[in-house]
């Protein structure tokens, strides 16, 4: 018998998450049956989406949702041999018994000198989100100007780099001077700290006086309304996230963007990367190719210890991470 540690959502979040909203439990797992495997978590992902999704996809008492890179330590399923690694939506669990449904093997050509944790970051869901937002939603073209907020995060940092690969001007906003320095290292043309600029409007105008063709939206709230006013006519907006609103107990109100969208004839579309899941194998190979060519840099914010899952999760909601936040078991 294997003991699994799990993090339970004891109470739906009310405002910003608290330690008391989580409980660490231990459960005995049965031996895997025919067709089943026993997984051991190696790396776990903490992501902003967990905050709003927990409300609509979870009940109190459920294991927290989430994705992990896990090692197969027992197998009665020939598709997943012992010692192989998979990406799975196992939640916040140290060990899992499952039938293999939904597990994605790590690509066989994964380089030995590249950490498997990147399968939760730039060569995983956040990288795919960046790629599909740029190509499927925005249709970003060479020579265009792109604005991305939360630009030093797991998705935003990849968005900016893919836009540079495509020959675009990239402007990024972030919440600390260290993050702005990181964006400059990545090759962003312009970057600014939205918390210290006197005027968001003036910062956006200075960074790109001619406006913006495309906007990759991760933040929502008031700052996004300001950004929409700097869009060019027929500009396109990909709505990926709204992290500034996730912990609100009372919904934010206005200003409302409708007149700006009408006058500028803007196109805004929300999306989730799962819409293009059929493209993932090819897309992951493209992302890995850029990494191996040195065109895609990956910064990780690693927290060690399964017991620190809640702290790592709350940390990303405070903006403590630069790049992808990962918990290493």
């Amino acid at each position: 018998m294997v003991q699994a540690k799990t993090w339970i959502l004891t109470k739906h979040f009310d405002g910003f998450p608290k330690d008391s909203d989580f409980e660490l439990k231990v459960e005995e797992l049965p031996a895997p049956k025919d067709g089943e495997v026993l997984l051991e978590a190696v790396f776990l992902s903490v992501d902003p989406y967990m905050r709003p999704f927990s409300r609509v996809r979870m009940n109190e008492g459920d294991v927290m949702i989430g994705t992990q890179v896990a090692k197969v330590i027992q197998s009665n399923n020939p598709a997943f041999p012992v010692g192989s690694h998979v990406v799975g939506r196992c939640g916040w669990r140290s060990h899992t018994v499952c039938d293999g449904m939904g597990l994605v093997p790590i690509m066989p050509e994964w380089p030995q000198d590249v950490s498997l944790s990147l399968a939760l970051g730039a060569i995983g869901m956040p990288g795919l989100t960046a790629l599909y937002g740029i190509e499927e939603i925005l249709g970003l073209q060479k020579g265009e100007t792109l604005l991305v907020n939360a630009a030093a995060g797991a998705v935003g940092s990849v968005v900016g780099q893919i836009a540079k690969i495509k020959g675009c001007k990239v402007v990024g906003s972030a919440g600390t001077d260290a993050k702005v320095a990181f964006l400059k290292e990545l090759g962003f043309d312009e970057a600014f700290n939205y918390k210290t600029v006197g005027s968001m409007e003036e910062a956006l105008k200075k960074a790109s006086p001619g406006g913006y063709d495309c906007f990759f939206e991760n933040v929502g709230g008031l700052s996004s309304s300001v950004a929409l006013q700097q869009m060019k006519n027929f500009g396109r907006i990909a709505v990926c996230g709204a992290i500034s609103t996730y912990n609100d107990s009372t919904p934010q109100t206005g200003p409302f963007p409708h007149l700006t969208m009408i006058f500028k004839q803007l196109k805004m579309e929300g999306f989730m990367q799962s819409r293009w899941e059929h493209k993932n194998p090819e897309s992951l190979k493209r992302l890995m190719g850029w990494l191996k060519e040195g065109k895609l840099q990956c910064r990780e914010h690693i927290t060690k210890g399964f017991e620190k899952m809640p702290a790592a999760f709350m940390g990303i909601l405070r903006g403590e991470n630069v790049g992808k936040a990962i918990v290493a078991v």
Side-chain angles (χ1 to χ4, degrees):
M1 298 288 281
V2 171
Q3 285 194 329
K5 297 177 183 176
T6 65
W7 278 105
I8 304 297
L9 178 70
T10 58
K11 186 175 183 296
H12 276 300
F13 306 123
D14 181 14
F16 196 89
K18 304 179 291 294
D19 286 330
S20 59
D21 296 328
F22 307 93
E23 182 182 357
L24 182 61
K25 289 189 174 182
V26 177
E27 62 181 43
E28 298 279 347
L29 293 182
K33 300 174 185 175
D34 187 41
E36 293 184 334
V37 295
L38 172 61
L39 305 176
E40 182 176 70
V42 181
F43 299 105
L44 295 103
S45 183
V46 284
D47 299 281
Y49 80 81
M50 295 171 176
R51 174 63 180 84
F53 272 56
S54 68
R55 175 63 69 174
V56 296
R57 300 278 177 92
M58 294 182 63
N59 296 314
E60 293 178 352
D62 288 350
V63 175
M64 275 294 295
I65 54 175
T67 306
Q68 60 178 247
V69 171
K71 184 176 182 178
V72 180
I73 58 173
Q74 292 181 32
S75 178
N76 292 318
N77 186 326
F80 304 100
V82 170
S84 63
H85 289 83
V86 297
V87 176
R89 299 189 188 100
C90 303
W92 293 14
R93 307 177 59 90
S94 66
H95 295 80
T96 306
V97 171
C98 67
D99 62 5
M101 289 292 290
L103 298 182
V104 179
I106 296 290
M107 65 173 74
E109 61 269 38
W110 193 280
Q112 286 195 338
D113 60 346
V114 175
S115 173
L116 291 176
S117 57
L118 294 190
L120 301 174
I123 318 299
M125 181 274 287
L128 294 169
T129 300
L131 182 63
Y132 296 147
I134 284 174
E135 293 188 346
E136 304 291 341
I137 302 295
L138 295 176
L140 187 65
Q141 302 297 312
K142 182 178 180 180
E144 291 189 316
T145 299
L146 170 80
L147 171 65
V148 55
N149 51 17
V155 174
S157 58
V158 179
V159 167
Q161 292 181 85
I162 294 176
K164 291 307 298 179
I165 290 169
K166 291 181 174 291
C168 297
K169 177 179 177 178
V170 180
V171 177
S173 69
T176 69
D177 292 342
K179 291 180 180 181
V180 170
F182 170 57
L183 298 181
K184 290 292 191 176
E185 289 176 28
L186 295 182
F188 280 57
D189 298 279
E190 301 287 343
F192 62 88
N193 182 344
Y194 72 88
K195 292 181 180 177
T196 58
V197 293
S199 163
M200 181 81 169
E201 181 181 359
E202 291 305 315
L204 290 169
K205 286 180 177 177
K206 181 180 178 183
S208 182
Y212 299 87
D213 300 285
C214 291
F215 175 25
F216 198 107
E217 162 72 294
N218 293 309
V219 175
L222 180 60
S223 65
S224 295
S225 298
V226 177
L228 289 186
Q229 294 166 12
Q230 305 308 315
M231 298 297 294
K232 296 180 181 180
N233 289 341
F234 306 105
R236 293 100 70 198
I237 301 104
V239 183
C240 171
I243 194 169
S244 73
T245 69
Y246 290 168
N247 295 303
D248 292 345
S249 297
T250 303
Q252 298 180 30
T253 58
F256 301 105
H258 302 83
L259 278 180
T260 300
M261 293 188 68
I262 293 166
F263 292 155
K264 291 180 175 286
Q265 301 185 73
L266 303 178
K267 181 180 179 181
M268 178 187 286
E269 183 174 350
F271 75 101
M272 292 186 287
Q273 55 84 28
S274 55
R275 193 193 312 181
W276 300 278
E277 196 168 18
H278 60 285
K279 293 188 174 186
N280 284 2
E282 175 199 351
S283 300
L284 291 171
K285 288 179 182 177
R286 292 175 64 198
L287 291 163
M288 180 61 83
W290 287 330
L291 178 74
K292 292 197 286 190
E293 292 168 14
K295 295 178 180 177
L296 185 60
Q297 299 179 49
C298 305
R299 179 83 63 92
E300 293 181 301
H301 183 95
I302 296 181
T303 302
K304 293 187 177 180
F306 182 78
E307 70 280 1
K308 295 182 179 175
M309 288 292 298
F313 174 56
M314 290 185 278
I316 61 167
L317 297 177
R318 294 190 191 99
E320 293 174 1
N321 59 300
V322 177
K324 179 70 185 84
I326 295 288
V327 173
V329 178

